[in-house]
Amino acid sequence: MGTRAGIVVTGTEVLTGRVADRNGPWLAERLREQGVDVAHVVVVGDRPDDLHAALEFLAGTEVELVITTGGLGPTADDLTAQVVGEFQGRPSEVDSEIEAHIAAIVERLSSSRNWRLDPQATAAANRKQALVPVGAAVLAPIGTAPGLVVPVAEGRSGPPVLVLPGPPAELQGMWPGALANPTVRAALGEPAEIRQRTIRLWGTPESELAAVLRAHEQRLEGLEITTCLREGELEIVTRFGAEAEDSYGGLESVLTDAFADTIFATDGRTVDEIVAGSLIERGSTIATAESCTAGLLAARLTERAGSSAYVLGGLVVYSNEAKHALAGVPTELIERVGAVSAEVAAALADGARGRLGADLGVGITGVAGPGGGSEEKPVGLVHLCVTDGSRTLARQVQLPGSRADVRARAVAVALHLIRRLLEETAAQG
Amino acid sequence: MGTRAGIVVTGTEVLTGRVADRNGPWLAERLREQGVDVAHVVVVGDRPDDLHAALEFLAGTEVELVITTGGLGPTADDLTAQVVGEFQGRPSEVDSEIEAHIAAIVERLSSSRNWRLDPQATAAANRKQALVPVGAAVLAPIGTAPGLVVPVAEGRSGPPVLVLPGPPAELQGMWPGALANPTVRAALGEPAEIRQRTIRLWGTPESELAAVLRAHEQRLEGLEITTCLREGELEIVTRFGAEAEDSYGGLESVLTDAFADTIFATDGRTVDEIVAGSLIERGSTIATAESCTAGLLAARLTERAGSSAYVLGGLVVYSNEAKHALAGVPTELIERVGAVSAEVAAALADGARGRLGADLGVGITGVAGPGGGSEEKPVGLVHLCVTDGSRTLARQVQLPGSRADVRARAVAVALHLIRRLLEETAAQG
């Protein structure tokens, strides 16, 4: 596939899972836009030898560029610049210009935030962050850590290493400057776009998809297809060069035919985008009443900027008293059929709609677990209802997994129920 | 540090960031319990050559065991078993006993879920999943994919490879069986526990911590300290062998002295655990009224099983009408001081408390962005208030980052405000 790059993510906190890495994926996506493929992302702790081994591995995989993220902070476990310098045959020295630049940034930050910094400690931290391998190009810091482009020392061979900071905002802010650096530019070569398209199905088992793809194998030349099942959605991502555009068109029509009932996006749109777009188009508003998901649906509906145009608000009705007091669910109904029931889900949807004066109301009630289940109403049982006053869609599902899985999956089911109600209304109204 | 292992996470969806890896960190933690350290986690796409290169790298880093996750599914991009088999010098063959076993599982699954599966496609998928390297030990499937323990072929040298499925529930369910396997057991050796302790600070800059650690450097022998700043919390994780327990005690008292104002946990507890424990201990209940965070705080407070003992519910008051209708914020007040104001945050906290009949009420209102900011009230400005009727704590913060960052960070600020109110009441009441 042409030019390739390797990424090293540093940090024991990432290796041990206390922090999820956002930089590797972000960089992989930016590189793809440049026509550059990523073969490996190596996560490594804050140990010099392990970082050195990772650099050696990636430099040996025929990549044109190695990128490191993290390990540029002021603490002693931040070692990336020095290790990369040694690896490339370039020892590090304090760059006094950069030291002064960092000192000015720290001074501005600390005075705007009223930090009381110990001057000696601050000076030591600044000096540490100004250690730069000799002959490296410096990328202006967004936070306090400068980025680096470290070519291999003269007389040796290997790809250049681009050293970026760990905090995602700093790394992302530095990317345009990194791309403009001549060494990086030369390594990445002429951009030759790799296209990527996404198709999404809701409710098709992965084995059915596998069978259809196998049956059409010979028509899929030049396409790199990966499939992924997530929260009940089957995502099909295809990557290809411009010359395989026709093959991709063939794949898209095969899937559209085979999965007419479950395909909900051929243009990469997520269910969130479809629901938001459809609410905006109709000028409709929405409100929620959530028991087991306890605000997750409202939070997800408001993830998008501008969502105040259609989300009025929601009710988190964790206790039965709240179901009655906030959403107007009759106490008698809860006593008769139980809080986890189709009737209460419907009453919650009506209550959300009525109390917030919204066009659409959504109700969710279920057993998230791990406790609270019974033979009749086991952990994972969730009732959902969406109504616009004239049309109502209800579903009962039995969801697998942990408490977090059940809650997340129930939100996905709710979003697809909203999507279906909006589609049906559009089709019939 | 003794025994080490390497992990390969497979899947283009992980490499490109469409799915966050949960398996690498989970396995690293389980291995630590066995006294085994992980040096590298390599993320690799669904390409045989790249997987082969990753195996070669890890096998060469002096590890006793290599673990792979993912790539055992029924689709053509699921290649792990075959590639590992080739790498270890063991070609794959269909194991008919496993094939029958998988067929029975699929049959049971599909009949309980009313799937209409194409028999031929299903048979092909089952056969694909029953391909096993000759001489490998099979771990019973939790889903449909069996796990594998693949020793290196006779006459060759290298660590065994433990092949586990990608879905976290399947991988985790298979772990006890994997640990019981004699080859895995022999590779991991006698458990020699690596201890790990976590201390958390709220509001201390990382450079201050670095200075304190530097000043006591000679007392920290035998401790591997990593620090990580996340949502305003500074997390200090220390790993050490049993012989360094005294050094760790020294570190803990140094930090407790130096950061008496900001240290909030020396026992690894999260702010979530502290708040939950304190509410349970007092028998108090809590309710929320959220504007910019729109349910995220309620969702976070209910992440824990058993949270219905103290969370009554919440109000998501995205529109001004909802602030008035649901939380009783006077319309006149909103018109006079604006929805994002200390006064409205206080009225929301009171409203949440009153409407839900809770002991504690929390109010959050802010500008999450990216639009909606002004010179006077810029993006990132958030007002928060917590009250128990007699005591009230309020804060105004200016949070950096994206819309998602501002929302997540505001939730963290709210949790610490709740923690402080509970602490102060406990100390003074």
Side-chain angles (χ1 to χ4, degrees), chain A residues 18 37 41 47 230 403, chain B residues 18 37 43 47 230 302:
Chain A
R18 280 175 284 127
D37 227 19
V41 175
R47 294 184 201 139
R230 181 170 40 173
R403 179 178 176 85
Chain B
R18 280 175 282 125
D37 226 21
V43 184
R47 295 184 200 137
R230 180 170 40 173
T302 55

Side-chain angles (χ1 to χ4, degrees), chain A residues 134-219:
Chain A
V134 174
V138 173
L139 303 170
I142 306 294
T144 60
L148 299 169
V149 180
V150 190
V152 75
E154 281 186 42
R156 298 169 57 162
S157 71
V161 181
L162 169 61
V163 177
L164 295 174
E170 294 186 29
L171 176 137
Q172 293 173 19
M174 209 176 273
W175 182 247
L179 271 190
N181 174 278
T183 306
V184 172
R185 200 58 272 166
L188 298 181
E190 279 299 303
E193 192 202 11
I194 301 170
R195 298 184 183 179
Q196 177 173 309
R197 303 279 166 73
T198 303
I199 290 176
R200 293 196 171 86
L201 312 178
W202 171 247
T204 290
E206 206 171 359
S207 60
E208 295 284 294
L209 175 64
V212 169
L213 292 179
R214 213 176 278 119
H216 293 84
E217 211 160 5
Q218 72 286 12
R219 289 174 55 183

Side-chain angles (χ1 to χ4, degrees), chain A residues 4 12-13 15-19 22 25 28 37-47 50 53-54 57 74-75 77 115-118 121 124 205-208 210-211 214 224-228 230 235 237 239 294-296 298-299 302-305 307-308 311-316 318-319 322 326 356 370 403 405 407, chain B residues 4 12-13 15-19 22 25 28 37-47 50 53-54 57 74-75 77 115-118 121 124 205-208 210-211 214 224-228 230 235 237 239 294-296 298-299 302-305 307-308 311-316 318-319 322 326 356 370 403 405 407:
Chain A
R4 309 224 300 177
T12 302
E13 71 277 11
L15 188 64
T16 56
R18 280 175 284 127
V19 171
R22 288 161 55 191
D37 227 19
V38 172
H40 299 96
V41 175
V42 183
V43 184
V44 67
D46 299 312
R47 294 184 201 139
D50 293 345
F57 165 55
T75 53
D77 58 345
W115 288 343
R116 292 149 306 164
L117 298 183
D118 170 44
E206 206 171 359
S207 60
E208 295 284 294
R214 213 176 278 119
E224 183 192 331
I225 302 171
T226 55
T227 66
C228 166
R230 181 170 40 173
E235 188 178 74
V237 175
R239 293 152 59 85
L296 283 177
T302 55
E303 267 174 13
R304 304 169 58 77
S307 51
S308 59
V311 180
L312 297 186
L315 309 167
V316 178
Y318 219 54
S319 68
L326 297 183
L356 282 126
R403 179 178 176 85
D405 292 335
R407 290 176 15 129
Chain B
R4 310 223 300 177
T12 302
E13 71 278 12
L15 189 65
T16 56
R18 280 175 282 125
V19 171
R22 287 162 56 191
D37 226 21
V38 172
H40 299 94
V41 175
V42 183
V43 184
V44 66
D46 300 312
R47 295 184 200 137
D50 293 345
F57 165 54
T75 53
D77 57 348
W115 288 342
R116 295 147 303 164
L117 299 183
D118 171 43
E206 208 171 358
S207 59
E208 295 284 293
R214 212 174 280 119
E224 184 192 330
I225 302 171
T226 55
T227 65
C228 166
R230 180 170 40 173
E235 189 178 73
V237 175
R239 293 152 60 86
L296 283 176
T302 55
E303 267 174 14
R304 303 170 60 77
S307 52
S308 59
V311 180
L312 297 186
L315 309 167
V316 178
Y318 220 54
S319 67
L326 297 183
L356 282 125
R403 178 178 176 86
D405 293 334
R407 287 171 23 125

Side-chain angles (χ1 to χ4, degrees), chain B residues 103-127:
Chain B
I105 294 172
V106 170
E107 172 59 31
R108 204 176 60 231
L109 271 178
S110 70
S111 68
S112 78
R113 296 185 188 182
N114 290 316
W115 288 342
R116 295 147 303 164
L117 299 183
D118 171 43
Q120 249 191 307
T122 307
N126 297 350
R127 203 156 43 241

Side-chain angles (χ1 to χ4, degrees), chain A residues 229-248:
Chain A
L229 183 66
R230 181 170 40 173
E231 292 179 359
E233 286 182 10
L234 194 49
E235 188 178 74
I236 306 149
V237 175
T238 309
R239 293 152 59 85
F240 53 94
E243 72 288 353
E245 186 68 50
D246 284 353
S247 299
Y248 183 75

